[in-house]
Amino acid sequence: MRLKERPKWQELLPGCVIDEPGNSVNYKTGDWKTLKPVVDKQKCIRCGTCWIFCPEYAYEEDEYGYFNPNYDYCKGCGICAVECPARCIRMEREEE
Amino acid sequence: MKRVGIEVSIAIAEAAALAEVEVVSAYPITPQTHIVEHLAELVANGELNAEFITVESEHTAMSAALGASLAGARAFTSTSSQGLALMNEIVYITSSMRAPVVMALANRSLSAPISIWNDHSDVMNERDTGWISIFANNGQEAYDLTFMAFKIGEHPNVLLPVMINFDGFILTHVIEPVWMFDKEEVKDFLPPYEHPYKLDVDRPTSHGPVGLPDIYTEAKKQQEEAIRNSRKIIDAVWDEFAERFGRRYRAVEEYYADDAEIVLLTQGSVTEAAQVVVDEMRKRGKKWGVVELRLWRPFPFEDLKKVLCNNNIKCVVVLDRAISFGGQLGIVMSEVRSALYHEKNKPMVVGVTAGLGGRDIRFDEYVKMYEIGEKCLKEEKEPDKVIIVGLRE
Ligand code: SF4
Ligand code: SF4
């Protein structure tokens, strides 16, 4: 959103209170990253360690029990790649 | 209302109890200790139905008060000097998160050298933290203003924390006659506290979120408007109190200002001392007066102009009780001077500093302050630096 379209000071609630629970899903932080995690499903053992460690709760479990990063929220910190016991997450440059 | 001889600290604690505070979160520090000690006693005895949180530091005292206030509880804390300095981080956050905590601040100088005695360096250090800041100059005022602080801060159009300043030892440890209310009398004066966005599992809210560069500026503007607008509520609360109980409080108090040539501008307990000096010196033909800047934040620009630019006041000597090192020295002086900058018939503004770290200001030293004003008038020159009265050199 462009700066001009953001709320005016009169429109903010006192103390910047957020009164709409869970509205952080509307705020996509995915464009902050320069590296993105790519999971090699051949090697993945579906342990869920990435899902536990991700500070952005970006991993989602699919119907086959695999965990896939949601790039709308992943900030590219690389924690999952370090923690994955199967070493099957590779951090790739965004533009590649 | 009953008039009792009472230690001012105890009276301040009783004012918080009268407001039926629900959470007291405080850490003892001289010269504030008796306030929280008495509140702890009231809670322990079952006379006050409040949660008394014994914390491990002032930083936590303020944090817990902030959380309690946002959870919808009437919260109170009290501190002094180093305690306030340690709170600083959360002091700023409390006003920014719009939590109407009330703080009784027993003014004490900041270390080093270590000093437990009175001046205003603690409050001046917190000048820009966004709290409503009010000075009391005696025990009665400290009692009344502490009680009224809840009504001001909690008003839905305000939602800001309020600090009541009173001089450490000079007031806190002195037994004064104070008119004290009983609960019945004030029952409908202070409405129950309702934060419109309190923490509530049935209606979840998030407090203290990140404000990226696209929001922070607007958030600060909103906060600045809030404290500026609080002035209307401050006046309304003080007016209602005057009508109901007969004691009137004004943002700027005057003593013989209407026909004085020179006035001393004061904050806190030195006000009454200066009034005694004026009484005596008027007998000796001196047209002197006293102006007290009771309301420190929001700064009462218009009131001050009205009182000081009244044609007969030629010089205002501003007595500062703290120093801004490497700046103008006098913090209050520089604010008063700039507040009057655009006025046509403004008086000469002269800065003096005295009473640092608990040093008493003697009768002849007050006289000296006025005489400095006389000298400046004669020479038609505002001094380019603040004069420290009572300094050995
Ligand atoms: S890179 Fe960081 S943010 Fe992105 S999925 Fe991995 S742990 Fe989560
Ligand atoms: S941590 Fe590695 S192996 Fe475990 S589920 Fe995530 S990607 Fe698969």
Side-chain angles (χ1 to χ4, degrees):
Chain A
M1 207 186 288
R2 298 192 11 228
L3 201 56
K4 272 193 183 138
E5 292 155 14
R6 306 286 293 136
K8 297 187 175 70
W9 69 265
Q10 295 94 331
E11 293 160 6
L12 295 176
L13 294 180
C16 287
V17 168
I18 296 167
D19 71 339
E20 189 193 339
N23 71 354
S24 56
V25 294
N26 302 332
Y27 194 58
K28 307 224 160 115
T29 50
D31 58 358
W32 294 17
K33 64 177 168 293
T34 50
L35 296 174
K36 66 174 181 185
V38 177
V39 180
D40 178 355
K41 292 218 173 107
Q42 302 294 335
K43 289 198 221 152
C44 173
I45 56 170
R46 296 183 284 184
C47 65
T49 303
C50 51
W51 174 77
I52 291 168
F53 273 89
C54 174
E56 297 299 325
Y57 313 105
Y59 276 92
E60 289 160 4
E61 192 179 358
D62 66 19
E63 52 188 320
Y64 307 106
Y66 287 102
F67 293 87
N68 307 301
N70 183 332
Y71 294 127
D72 280 347
Y73 304 108
C74 164
K75 287 179 183 162
C77 68
I79 290 174
C80 53
V82 170
E83 296 296 336
C84 169
R87 296 258 165 243
C88 68
I89 304 174
R90 214 183 54 236
M91 299 302 289
E92 285 180 9
R93 288 195 76 86
E94 269 273 74
E95 60 271 6
E96 275 170 21
Chain B
M1 238 183 311
K2 208 166 68 211
R3 200 169 196 219
V4 286
I6 189 167
E7 189 189 304
V8 171
S9 284
I10 310 297
I12 291 164
E14 286 289 342
L18 185 71
E20 296 180 328
V21 289
E22 292 163 295
V23 170
V24 180
S25 165
Y27 191 85
I29 184 169
T30 303
Q32 152 272 31
T33 308
H34 293 181
I35 298 171
V36 288
E37 229 169 49
H38 187 65
L39 280 165
E41 225 167 76
L42 292 177
V43 173
N45 293 348
E47 290 168 62
L48 176 63
N49 183 18
E51 198 66 46
F52 190 99
I53 308 178
T54 48
V55 287
E56 88 295 349
S57 77
E58 284 88 353
H59 189 277
T60 308
M62 195 69 243
S63 303
L66 162 65
S69 180
L70 292 178
R74 179 167 289 158
F76 176 81
T77 190
S78 178
T79 193
S80 266
S81 173
Q82 307 310 124
L84 183 63
L86 183 54
M87 281 181 180
N88 171 271
E89 181 189 14
I90 315 298
V91 170
Y92 195 93
I93 292 175
T94 300
S95 58
S96 303
M97 287 175 70
R98 309 290 295 276
V101 175
V102 169
M103 181 197 296
L105 181 60
N107 297 125
R108 166 184 148 183
S109 45
L110 286 169
S111 298
I114 296 170
S115 166
I116 59 166
W117 294 278
N118 163 245
D119 68 24
H120 292 169
S121 46
D122 57 1
V123 49
M124 291 306 155
N125 202 34
E126 303 291 313
R127 180 186 66 171
D128 299 332
T129 51
W131 283 53
I132 294 171
S133 184
I134 301 166
F135 278 84
N137 64 34
N138 60 37
Q140 183 71 61
E141 293 188 358
Y143 174 80
D144 291 346
L145 291 169
T146 301
F147 177 62
M148 285 189 280
F150 294 95
K151 187 166 163 113
I152 293 169
E154 292 169 6
H155 192 283
N157 295 349
V158 179
L159 292 177
L160 284 169
V162 185
M163 64 173 81
I164 304 299
N165 296 276
F166 43 89
D167 290 321
F169 291 113
I170 298 168
L171 294 182
T172 53
H173 287 54
V174 165
I175 294 173
E176 276 189 31
V178 176
W179 288 101
M180 315 241 327
F181 296 108
D182 30 78
K183 282 221 163 91
E184 272 308 296
E185 279 172 296
V186 294
K187 205 172 73 218
D188 50 346
F189 181 78
L190 184 59
Y193 164 49
E194 283 288 344
H195 195 291
Y197 299 100
K198 72 169 180 183
L199 291 165
D200 184 348
V201 283
D202 293 326
R203 199 176 144 253
T205 49
S206 298
H207 291 257
V210 169
L212 296 179
D214 62 349
I215 284 293
Y216 192 87
T217 307
E218 281 69 25
K220 291 296 120 178
K221 166 67 179 169
Q222 184 206 57
Q223 191 182 348
E224 154 64 12
E225 279 296 315
I227 190 161
R228 226 162 258 280
N229 288 335
S230 73
R231 181 56 204 281
K232 289 183 211 102
I233 307 299
I234 295 169
D235 285 344
V237 170
W238 286 352
D239 284 349
E240 186 188 339
F241 187 87
E243 272 156 39
R244 287 191 52 178
F245 309 115
R247 288 189 294 277
R248 183 165 287 284
Y249 293 89
R250 295 178 187 82
V252 176
E253 306 274 3
E254 342 172 16
Y255 192 73
Y256 286 115
D258 52 345
D259 80 332
E261 263 174 30
I262 302 178
V263 293
L264 188 69
L265 190 133
T266 56
Q267 287 183 307
S269 64
V270 291
T271 306
E272 292 189 347
Q275 288 171 354
V276 171
V277 173
V278 163
D279 285 345
E280 183 54 35
M281 296 308 284
R282 281 204 163 236
K283 284 184 214 149
R284 303 185 206 170
K286 295 290 189 187
K287 287 197 133 186
W288 295 348
V290 183
V291 171
E292 182 201 4
L293 191 56
R294 175 186 304 291
L295 185 60
W296 178 224
R297 285 294 185 276
F299 193 91
F301 293 97
E302 292 311 313
D303 313 64
L304 198 69
K305 285 177 201 166
K306 221 166 103 198
V307 170
L308 293 179
C309 305
N310 70 353
N311 292 320
N312 55 278
I313 297 177
K314 305 270 183 302
C315 176
V316 48
V317 181
V318 181
L319 170 52
D320 260 285
R321 312 267 333 271
I323 288 182
S324 168
F325 303 105
Q328 297 249 22
L329 279 197
I331 298 158
V332 184
M333 183 279 287
S334 57
E335 292 218 4
V336 169
R337 187 179 275 171
S338 72
L340 304 181
Y341 184 74
H342 291 291
E343 296 309 296
K344 283 207 180 61
N345 52 349
K346 58 174 180 267
M348 185 179 272
V349 180
V350 176
V352 294
T353 299
L356 298 181
R359 185 171 300 180
D360 287 334
I361 307 173
R362 297 188 320 240
F363 188 98
D364 60 307
E365 288 170 337
Y366 283 104
V367 172
K368 173 95 191 291
M369 293 173 197
Y370 286 97
E371 286 173 353
I372 290 168
E374 282 179 340
K375 184 162 169 273
C376 292
L377 277 179
K378 217 165 99 199
E379 293 170 1
E380 290 177 16
K381 191 172 166 286
E382 283 182 9
D384 50 11
K385 57 177 199 265
V386 172
I387 299 153
I388 301 179
V389 175
L391 177 76
R392 290 184 303 278
E393 57 185 342

